[in-house]
Amino acid sequence: MKIIVLIVTSLILYCSSAIAQTKPLDVDIRGRSCNGGSGVCSTGSTGLKQTNSNMKNFNITKLTSKSMVIEIELSKLNSEEQKVFLGKEYSKVINQEELFFIQEQDFIFDINTLLYLELDPAYRLLKRGTYPLQIVNDSVLVTIELSVY
């Protein structure tokens, strides 16, 4: 009986860790054509780390086949990037304030990026709009859901 409980517990732990796997991704948050504004603007061709000094390393956690959480540490954002990402500098954010990430233009993810993140490649479109943003343990978390493209 102890062996069965041990096997079941191991399987549950293995499955739960596979569901919430976090992967690094380099994206630029400066907006249209990476020239300013806000929102995602480039993921390159693979989603893997690139050597461009304008890129920031984000962690992506897959929620479903078409949704994910983008996470970046606040310490990796300078004051201008904080304004783009949070709408203001972090020091001016009030506790319990409702924050949103603004995606100014529709963005189409590269298929290789979606495959790297193990997302459904049929859902490539990040629609313009606002997405929920949270600050948890000195990290910014943005939940996004992709649409069919």
Side-chain angles (χ1 to χ4, degrees), residues 65-66 109 114 119-126 146-149:
S65 64
K66 62 180 185 173
F109 276 88
L114 295 175
L119 294 169
D120 186 339
Y123 296 88
R124 297 177 55 199
L125 175 64
L126 174 60
L146 302 177
S147 299
V148 174
Y149 175 71

Side-chain angles (χ1 to χ4, degrees), residues 77-148:
L77 298 173
N78 64 34
S79 63
E80 287 303 312
E81 291 166 332
Q82 289 173 14
K83 288 177 189 175
V84 169
F85 210 81
L86 303 171
K88 60 177 85 176
E89 290 183 29
Y90 175 64
S91 62
K92 296 179 181 173
V93 172
I94 302 168
N95 282 345
Q96 307 302 322
E97 181 177 356
E98 194 170 14
L99 299 170
F100 295 96
F101 177 73
I102 300 170
Q103 179 64 33
E104 291 182 345
Q105 300 293 321
D106 287 352
F107 177 78
I108 311 301
F109 276 88
D110 178 85
I111 289 177
N112 290 330
T113 300
L114 295 175
L115 293 174
Y116 167 72
L117 297 172
E118 299 176 9
L119 294 169
D120 186 339
Y123 296 88
R124 297 177 55 199
L125 175 64
L126 174 60
K127 289 185 178 181
R128 66 184 285 205
T130 57
Y131 294 87
L133 183 144
Q134 294 179 304
I135 299 174
V136 178
N137 297 331
D138 295 324
S139 290
V140 178
L141 306 173
V142 178
T143 303
I144 62 171
E145 184 158 335
L146 302 177
S147 299
V148 174

